Amino acid sequence: MASENTPVTLEKIVSLCKRRGFVYQTAEIYSGLNGVYDFGPLGAQLKINIKNSWLKDMNSQPEEILLIDGSILGPFDEWKASGHVDSFADPMVDCQNCKRRFRADDPDIDLNKTCPVCRVKNWTDVRQFKLMFETQVGAVAGQSSIAFLRPETAQSIFINFKNVVTSNRVKVPFGISQIGKAFRNEITPKQFLFRLREFEQMELEFFCKEENSREFFEKWLERRNNFYLNLGINPKNIRFREHEKDELAHYSKYCTDIEYNFPFGWKELEGIAYRTNYDLSQHIKHSGKDLSIFDPQTNESFVPHVIECSVGVDRTFLTILFDAYYEDEIEGEKRICLKLNPKVAPVKAAILPLVKKLNEPAIKIYQELKKSGFVIQFDESGSIGKRYRRQDEIGTPVCFTFDFDSLQDQKVTARNRDTLEQNRISIDQIKNYLNDLLK
Ligand code: GAP
C-alpha cells in the first residue's frame, strides 16, 4: 500500500503498466479497441501467478474441487435457459446533445440534471441494453445458428454438471471450478482493467444440500477473505458488503461482495452468491435431461444447491497492483516499488554483476536458476542503484549482486526489496533462499 504522502492513483498504475510492459492497449497501432487489453511479458506472468494461487487455494480446501475448462461459445438454448437472453442487460441512456452513452444506474448520472460531459439536459428514455455478444455459427443464418460468447464461465459448469458427476464419482458437498474468458458488451468500460469487455473469471460453483447452503456460504466468505489476506492484501482495504434485494442478479437469493478500497471508491472485487438450484433446474427444464443426483442416505434424487465464488483475474490483477504500489525516497532519489507477494511477483529474482567484467560467472548462476524453473532476470546495464530501482518497480523480491569478493568466497549479496537489507549468502544456497521466499 502506498505511504500516506504518496497516494496511488489510477494514472500511476496505468503508466507503470505501459512503461514496464505489464499491459498494452489492444491494437494500439490501430487506435485500440475500447474495453479490451493485451498483457505483456510481466503482465502475462503476473496473471498466471494469480491463477495458480487461486487454483492452489481451491485445491487446499477440505472438500473435493474439480477443475474444468469449458468452451467460450455456447448455443442460444443454453443462454435462454440460464435466463441471460432475457435478463442480462443494463439500463442505458443517451445524451441527445453530445451523443454520449451512459449506464443509467451509474452513480455519476442523474437524469434530473444535465449531462456530465456537455452540461446540456437532453436525455433519451432509459432502455435495456443486452450485454451478451451474439454471433452466428456455421454458414446458414437463423435462430438455430445463433451462439453467444459466454458472459460468465459459470454456465459451462452447470451444463457439464452431470458429466463431471458421472465421470468422477463425486458426492455432495463438492465444487467445480474454472478459469476462463468471459465477454460482456459493457456500455461504458472504464477504470482500466476494472470494467472490461473481454476479461477472465475464476469461478467456483460449490454444490451442497439446500439445508447446508447457509453454513457453506459463511465458510466460503471466510475462505475467500483469507485468500486475499494470504496474497498480502492490506486487510484495511477489504470489506464485505451484502447485496440489497433490488440489486441481486436474477439467479441469486442472497449475495455478498468482497469489496476493495480502490482509489475510485469501494468496489466489488468478488461476488459470493447463493444461486439456489436455479441454474440446474433451468437446464433440466429446457434440455429435458435429468441433472439430479441420487442420495443413498435418503434413497432420493435431488437437485443440489449452489454457492458461487466469482472473481475476475483482471480485477484481481488491478487490486494487487494498487495494493502493492509504494513510493519512497532512497538517498534523495524517488523510488517506485511494487511490494508484491513473492508468490505472485512476475520475476522472482535478478542477478546483477557489479561490473561487466564479472558477467561470465554471474550468467552461470542465472542460467542455473533458469534451468531450475525460476523466472529471473539478468541485468548488467547502468549503475547498481538504477538496476535495483528497475527491479523494485516490477516487484522483484530480491536481487543477487555478484561482486569481486564473490570470485573468492563464492557468495553474493542478497538485497531485499522491502527491507533494503543486504546479506551475503552462498551461491549454492540461492535456490533454497528462493524456495523459502516462495513458500
Ligand atoms: N457468475 C457470476 C458473475 O459473473 P458478476 O458479479 O457479474 O457475477 C463476477 O461477476 C466477477 O467477475 C466480478 O466480481 C468481477 O471481479 C469480474 N467481472 C465482472 N464483470 C467484469 C468486467 N466487465 N470486467 C472485468 N471484470 C469483471
Side-chain angles (χ1 to χ4, degrees):
M1 184 61 186
S3 60
E4 292 295 312
N5 56 347
T6 58
V8 56
T9 60
L10 185 61
E11 291 69 33
K12 285 181 181 179
I13 295 294
V14 173
S15 154
L16 171 62
C17 281
K18 182 164 171 113
R19 193 167 65 246
R20 300 309 308 271
F22 280 89
V23 182
Y24 310 123
Q25 198 186 4
T26 287
E28 191 182 3
I29 58 170
Y30 296 105
S31 312
L33 184 61
N34 205 0
V36 185
Y37 288 92
D38 292 338
F39 288 81
L42 293 175
Q45 190 62 52
L46 174 54
K47 258 180 121 180
I48 283 187
N49 296 345
I50 290 171
K51 291 188 257 187
N52 283 340
S53 297
W54 186 86
L55 284 173
K56 199 168 166 203
D57 189 76
M58 287 292 148
N59 283 333
S60 71
Q61 299 303 334
E63 302 87 14
E64 191 152 12
I65 294 181
L66 300 156
L67 179 70
I68 67 159
D69 185 7
S71 68
I72 285 168
L73 278 175
F76 179 89
D77 293 348
E78 172 188 352
W79 296 102
K80 179 76 182 166
S82 69
H84 285 78
V85 168
D86 297 322
S87 311
F88 199 57
D90 276 338
M92 174 180 77
V93 68
D94 291 329
C95 168
Q96 300 189 82
N97 185 53
C98 70
K99 311 290 178 218
R100 298 289 167 101
R101 181 159 277 182
F102 303 94
R103 265 177 78 155
D105 57 359
D106 186 327
D108 296 336
I109 300 298
D110 182 345
L111 299 181
N112 296 314
K113 293 190 179 157
T114 58
C115 164
V117 177
C118 68
R119 303 285 164 209
V120 172
K121 185 167 173 268
N122 190 3
W123 299 110
T124 59
D125 288 339
V126 174
R127 289 151 295 149
Q128 289 300 312
F129 179 76
K130 301 248 184 217
L131 295 176
M132 279 200 294
F133 285 101
E134 187 178 318
T135 187
Q136 298 277 338
V137 172
V140 184
Q143 165 105 353
S144 62
S145 65
I146 292 176
F148 293 101
L149 300 189
R150 62 182 177 187
E152 59 166 6
T153 60
Q155 293 307 320
S156 307
I157 294 178
F158 297 125
I159 59 173
N160 279 298
F161 173 73
K162 200 69 182 214
N163 287 336
V164 173
V165 170
T166 49
S167 57
N168 290 275
R169 304 170 61 81
V170 271
K171 294 195 185 85
V172 290
F174 76 97
I176 304 180
S177 63
Q178 185 175 198
I179 298 177
K181 288 269 186 180
F183 301 81
R184 295 181 191 177
N185 199 3
E186 298 284 356
I187 299 169
T188 45
K190 59 179 176 182
Q191 280 126 359
F192 191 38
L193 304 178
F194 183 81
R195 191 174 305 288
L196 298 168
R197 290 190 167 129
E198 173 177 339
F199 56 101
E200 243 180 316
Q201 285 186 315
M202 304 185 280
E203 295 204 300
L204 165 76
E205 306 303 324
F206 189 82
F207 299 93
C208 61
K209 290 192 168 170
E210 183 175 8
E211 58 267 33
N212 304 123
S213 50
R214 180 52 90 166
E215 171 198 336
F216 278 114
F217 181 80
E218 301 294 338
K219 271 193 183 151
W220 279 107
L221 283 184
E222 195 188 332
R223 290 172 180 183
R224 296 303 303 146
N225 190 45
N226 287 341
F227 171 74
Y228 295 109
L229 301 185
N230 289 335
L231 274 187
I233 303 286
N234 184 345
K236 281 193 195 143
N237 289 329
I238 292 273
R239 73 175 189 195
F240 290 132
R241 189 183 69 82
E242 224 175 287
H243 275 213
E244 301 292 336
K245 284 268 171 291
D246 63 356
E247 58 175 325
L248 287 170
H250 62 274
Y251 47 73
S252 146
K253 196 158 182 186
Y254 49 82
C255 178
T256 293
D257 284 346
I258 297 183
E259 292 191 333
Y260 182 77
N261 187 14
F262 290 97
F264 39 87
W266 285 95
K267 302 270 178 211
E268 172 183 350
L269 167 60
E270 167 160 352
I272 299 169
Y274 173 41
R275 287 181 84 128
T276 68
N277 60 4
Y278 173 85
D279 301 272
L280 288 178
S281 302
Q282 283 295 104
H283 289 302
I284 291 169
K285 198 161 103 193
H286 285 254
S287 69
K289 301 286 184 323
D290 176 18
L291 304 181
S292 64
I293 51 177
F294 183 71
D295 182 356
Q297 276 172 344
T298 59
N299 264 346
E300 278 174 7
S301 288
F302 70 105
V303 180
H305 281 233
V306 172
I307 306 301
E308 173 184 78
C309 303
S310 174
V311 59
V313 178
D314 318 78
R315 206 172 279 185
T316 309
F317 184 110
L318 189 61
T319 302
I320 284 177
L321 290 186
F322 275 127
D323 213 70
Y325 188 93
Y326 188 86
E327 284 177 17
D328 58 7
E329 232 180 67
I330 300 175
E331 288 158 15
E333 259 193 72
K334 184 178 146 189
R335 173 176 83 137
I336 294 175
C337 181
L338 289 182
K339 294 199 170 180
L340 294 172
N341 182 324
K343 278 182 241 162
V344 293
V347 177
K348 304 304 181 199
I351 306 293
L352 317 176
L354 188 64
V355 291
K356 286 197 175 146
K357 241 193 240 168
L358 297 168
N359 276 6
E360 210 182 298
I363 284 176
K364 262 197 200 143
I365 301 173
Y366 166 72
Q367 290 294 359
E368 188 54 38
L369 290 172
K370 254 167 78 75
K371 233 196 277 168
S372 302
F374 292 106
V375 178
I376 57 166
Q377 287 192 352
F378 180 83
D379 189 358
E380 53 166 13
S381 57
S383 72
I384 202 78
K386 274 217 173 82
R387 284 184 268 168
Y388 283 153
R389 271 176 191 66
R390 274 204 286 271
Q391 295 299 329
D392 291 342
E393 202 184 33
I394 62 169
T396 307
V398 60
C399 291
F400 298 109
T401 304
F402 192 99
D403 57 23
F404 287 103
D405 288 343
S406 309
L407 293 170
Q408 261 72 53
D409 65 5
Q410 290 301 300
K411 288 184 174 174
V412 285
T413 302
R415 182 262 196 186
N416 183 295
R417 176 197 68 198
D418 302 340
T419 62
L420 304 178
E421 264 173 24
Q422 304 202 3
N423 297 306
R424 294 292 282 176
I425 65 159
S426 289
I427 291 169
D428 61 10
Q429 285 304 309
I430 294 181
K431 277 185 209 165
N432 289 342
Y433 184 100
L434 287 178
N435 282 327
D436 282 349
L437 206 65
L438 298 173
K439 257 186 207 155

